Each structure stands twice: as C-alpha cells, then as structure tokens.
C-alpha cells in the first residue's frame, strides 16, 4: 500500500514537469500599457530546471531563461545589442516550463523558415509519442546558416530607450552557433505564440553575447541539428515505446508503431503499480539497447518469470514478437534470477 501511494505521488509530481505555464498574454499586454505582470525571481524556486521567454520590462527588450539562467537582451541608444543576466527582470507576459531531464535527438532536415521548423518539431514529437495537442517546450542546438532576430523597444516616451516609430530593433547573422528555446502549442495563438504560428522561439548564441526573438531561421540539411525534448519516463503517454518490425515470413518489413502506457493499460485490463514499474524497467533497458532508435522486435528476446502484471506488460505490449517471449519458472542457483 505504501509503495502504491509513493508511486501515485511520483506520477502526480511528474505530470507537473514540462507543463507549459504562462502569465499574461500577447493579446492582453498592450491593454494595460505593457505593465509587467511577473517578476522572474518569483519563478526561480527550482531554478536549474526553469526555461522561459517573454518581453523585458515595459517592452524594453527580451528575456530568455535557459537552465535557470535569466538573460536580458536590449538595444542601447546606438542600436547595439546588449545581453546581460538579470534575475530581477520583469515581464508583461511570460511563458515557461520546469524541465528536469531532456532527451536528445538528431535530425537532418532542410529548415528554410519557421514553418518548416514547426513541421519538423511536430513530426519528431509525434514519432516520440508526444500528444502534440498538449503544449511542450523544446530546444535546438546547431549552427544556423541564416538567423534574424529582434528585441522589442518601448512604446511610450516615458520609458527609457523610447524612439519614435521604433517598436523593435532587428539583427541578422550568418553561420552562427547557439541554442534556440521554443514552445510548441496548437491552441495558444495570441497568448504566447503568434496568431499564424504554433511556435515561439528565442535564440541565444554559444558565447551568450547575442540573444533575441527569432524572426527567421535557415538550417542546412547537411548540418547535424540536435533537438531536445522533455523526458519524464513516468509522465503519462511519454512512457512509451517506438518499435519496428524488421522481419516477417514474407520478407523485410519497416512497420513502425508507438506503444504508450495507455495502450498497455488497455491490454492488461487496469493500471496498477506492477504494470507501471514493469514499463519503467523495460523503458530503461530499451534506452540502453536501442538509444535514439526504434526497438527491433525481430532481434529482441525476453525471458521472464510468470507474474500477473510484470510479465503481462511485456507479453501484451507487442515490444517483442510472441514467439520471442519465454516464461521461465526455474531460478539461477547463484543469483536468484531467471537463468538465460
């Protein structure tokens, strides 16, 4: 009973991680004169896991938080881009998430603009079992062939830095390396994404000297691009398995499928601690055996002692082919585990 309660608490806690949160919105912030609604230091309780973005002050620049480090970028009176850390910065709206662990992937895609990047992120997320109707953060680390960013500028003459007719200052770079922090959402247009986009992107260079809101991006297909998605093995359908059938009586196959904890619950009949623990253990093993690639059902063999929940998890999940699963009732005389 105590174990089940502990597991339930851990499951509940994990569901809070990587959840996208926001204070204020793009549509509403102008209605109160861009008055700041949140102070960044109020979000830094678990600072090493905080990622977020929004305008700085009274539209005086941009804020980007990566690994709990709050960077502020703005244009000085000469238009030069200035980047510094400011944990006490405030924002009229802010979108953020706490992410403890990330899982790294590599993509080789021709990214010609933000729309093609959005499609690449959605495709990768869906392939990894994400429900893309639920918002999530992501990170991209690579060298960009082309990059255009901006920092917003004050809209009112009583705010320092105001210049008549200047709402933002733009900067263009070629072959620049760094990280892009992004938030994906299919229902947050006008809240924390533009009305014609499902993503909001900020960039910070590798040397932390350049930072701002992304207007345009191009990444060569030849460039190795690292994409990081939130990883929490106990979080809902993110406890999942990508499998591939590579052999069949009629020849080679390339049938891929994603199996989630919800699928396992349907096969098994109920969601219990044995099922979840078995799935977690199997996920850890598969991450080692098949890092960043689908689980090959043809090559995998599993031997298990009979158990109403643990072995049912493997047998019912289609992680292995039926004939590749064996129950073993004897024990190894030395280790106490099934002999292989």
């Amino acid at each position: 009973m105590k174990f089940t309660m502990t597991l339930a608490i851990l499951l509940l806690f994990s569901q809070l991680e990587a959840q996208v949160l926001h204070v204020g919105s793009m549509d509403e912030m102008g209605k109160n004169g861009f008055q700041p609604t949140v102070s960044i230091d109020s979000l830094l309780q678990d600072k090493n896991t905080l990622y977020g973005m929004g305008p700085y002050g009274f539209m005086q620049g941009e804020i980007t938080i990566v690994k709990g480090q709050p960077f502020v970028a703005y244009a000085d009176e000469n238009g030069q881009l200035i980047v510094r850390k400011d944990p006490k910065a405030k924002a009229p709206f802010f979108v953020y998430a706490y992410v403890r662990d990330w899982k790294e992937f590599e993509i080789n895609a021709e990214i010609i603009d933000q729309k093609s990047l959005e499609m690449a992120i959605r495709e990768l997320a869906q392939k990894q079992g994400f429900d893309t109707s639920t918002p999530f953060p992501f990170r991209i680390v690579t060298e960009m062939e082309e990059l255009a960013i901006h920092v917003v500028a004050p809209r009112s003459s009583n705010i320092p830095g105001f210049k008549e007719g200047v709402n933002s200052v733009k900067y263009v770079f070629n072959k620049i390396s760094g990280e892009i922090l992004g938030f994906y959402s299919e229902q947050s247009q006008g809240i924390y994404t533009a009305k014609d986009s499902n993503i909001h992107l900020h960039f910070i260079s590798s040397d932390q000297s350049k930072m701002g809101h992304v207007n345009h991006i191009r990444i060569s297909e030849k460039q190795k691009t690292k994409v990081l998605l939130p990883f929490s093995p106990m979080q809902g359908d993110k406890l999942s398995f990508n499998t591939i059938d590579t052999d069949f009586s009629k020849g080679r196959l390339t049938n891929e499928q994603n199996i989630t904890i919800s699928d396992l619950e349907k096969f098994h009949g109920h969601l219990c601690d044995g099922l979840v623990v078995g799935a977690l253990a199997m996920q850890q093993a598969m991450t080692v055996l098949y890092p960043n690639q689908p689980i090959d059902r043809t090559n995998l063999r599993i031997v298990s002692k009979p158990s109403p929940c643990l072995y049912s998890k493997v047998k019912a999940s289609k992680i292995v082919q039926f004939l590749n699963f064996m129950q073993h009732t004897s024990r190894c005389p030395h280790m106490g585990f099934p002999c292989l």
Side-chain angles (χ1 to χ4, degrees):
M1 179 67 179
K2 183 182 293 187
F3 175 80
T4 304
M5 181 65 72
T6 302
L7 181 63
I9 293 172
L10 288 171
L11 284 167
L12 179 62
F13 177 76
S14 70
Q15 288 175 357
L16 299 177
E17 291 195 16
Q19 180 181 353
V20 176
L21 308 168
H22 68 92
V23 180
S25 71
M26 289 181 172
D27 283 347
E28 299 295 322
M29 63 180 180
K31 296 180 181 179
N32 63 352
F34 303 100
Q35 177 78 32
T37 58
V38 62
S39 181
I40 298 307
D41 59 4
S42 69
L43 306 176
L44 291 173
Q45 304 94 332
D46 191 2
K47 69 175 188 177
N48 293 330
T49 67
L50 178 61
Y51 297 80
M53 62 181 68
Y56 168 48
F58 288 84
M59 302 297 281
Q60 295 164 272
E62 306 287 341
I63 302 173
T64 304
I65 299 181
V66 177
K67 298 180 183 177
Q69 299 297 312
F71 296 92
V72 168
Y74 57 91
D76 68 10
E77 59 182 12
N78 298 316
Q80 182 178 349
L81 181 62
I82 305 296
V83 179
R84 60 180 176 83
K85 292 183 181 180
D86 185 359
K88 296 188 180 298
K90 297 181 179 181
F93 97 84
F94 203 72
V95 55
Y96 62 101
Y98 297 96
V99 185
R100 193 172 304 276
D101 297 302
W102 298 85
K103 188 170 183 179
E104 182 180 314
F105 304 91
E106 187 177 292
I107 62 172
N108 295 93
E110 183 71 25
I111 305 298
I112 59 174
D113 53 21
Q114 288 199 55
K115 196 65 180 178
S116 59
L117 178 60
E118 177 185 318
M119 293 173 63
I121 294 297
R122 182 174 64 244
E123 181 180 344
L124 175 62
Q126 289 176 338
K127 187 175 181 179
Q128 297 306 315
F130 278 66
D131 176 5
T132 53
S133 65
T134 300
F136 61 90
F138 60 91
R139 297 162 63 194
I140 300 170
V141 181
T142 190
E143 180 184 83
M144 280 137 277
E145 291 288 314
E146 299 172 3
L147 180 73
I149 63 174
H150 78 251
V151 293
V152 293
R155 308 310 204 253
S156 174
S157 59
N158 63 348
I159 303 298
F162 171 79
K163 289 184 179 180
E164 187 69 41
V166 178
N167 288 338
S168 66
V169 182
K170 300 176 176 61
Y171 304 90
V172 177
F173 307 99
N174 293 308
K175 290 192 177 298
I176 183 170
S177 297
E179 176 171 334
I180 288 177
L181 172 65
F183 286 88
Y184 180 97
S185 177
E186 296 177 352
Q187 56 273 132
S188 301
Q189 289 82 1
I191 301 175
Y192 54 81
T193 70
K195 292 186 176 180
D196 60 349
S197 177
N198 290 331
I199 55 175
H200 186 168
L201 309 172
H202 275 205
F203 167 81
I204 184 163
S205 61
S206 298
D207 62 4
Q208 300 178 351
S209 67
K210 302 172 182 63
M211 189 269 279
H213 176 99
V214 176
N215 293 341
H216 168 72
I217 183 171
R218 186 170 75 83
I219 303 173
S220 170
E221 187 176 5
K222 298 177 182 179
Q223 181 66 41
K224 290 183 178 180
T225 298
K226 183 167 68 174
V227 178
L228 293 92
L229 297 176
F231 176 71
S232 178
M234 296 179 71
Q235 184 178 358
D237 281 356
K238 291 183 179 61
L239 176 46
S240 63
F241 304 87
N242 295 316
T243 68
I244 185 169
D245 298 312
T246 57
D247 200 6
F248 190 57
S249 60
K250 296 183 179 179
R252 299 282 292 179
L253 291 179
T254 56
N255 175 51
E256 291 192 40
Q257 56 185 335
N258 182 262
I259 302 157
T260 70
I261 190 68
S262 297
D263 296 324
L264 303 186
E265 180 184 0
K266 293 174 184 176
F267 279 113
H268 183 57
H270 63 277
L271 184 63
C272 63
D273 54 354
L275 189 70
V276 174
V277 169
L280 286 170
M282 189 60 58
Q283 187 178 62
Q284 291 299 314
M286 294 303 104
T287 299
V288 175
L289 291 173
Y290 300 96
N292 299 326
Q293 66 188 85
I295 298 167
D296 189 331
R297 293 180 64 234
T298 304
N299 293 336
L300 195 61
R301 301 290 189 277
I302 291 181
V303 179
S304 171
K305 286 189 67 63
S307 165
C309 296
L310 292 173
Y311 105 98
S312 171
K313 142 78 189 64
V314 180
K315 186 175 179 181
S317 67
K318 298 185 179 179
I319 291 175
V320 295
Q321 293 182 358
F322 181 76
L323 294 178
N324 293 348
F325 181 87
M326 294 167 282
Q327 281 191 52
H328 203 297
T329 56
S330 66
R331 285 187 176 272
C332 172
H334 302 292
M335 301 298 293
F337 293 111
C339 296
L340 300 180

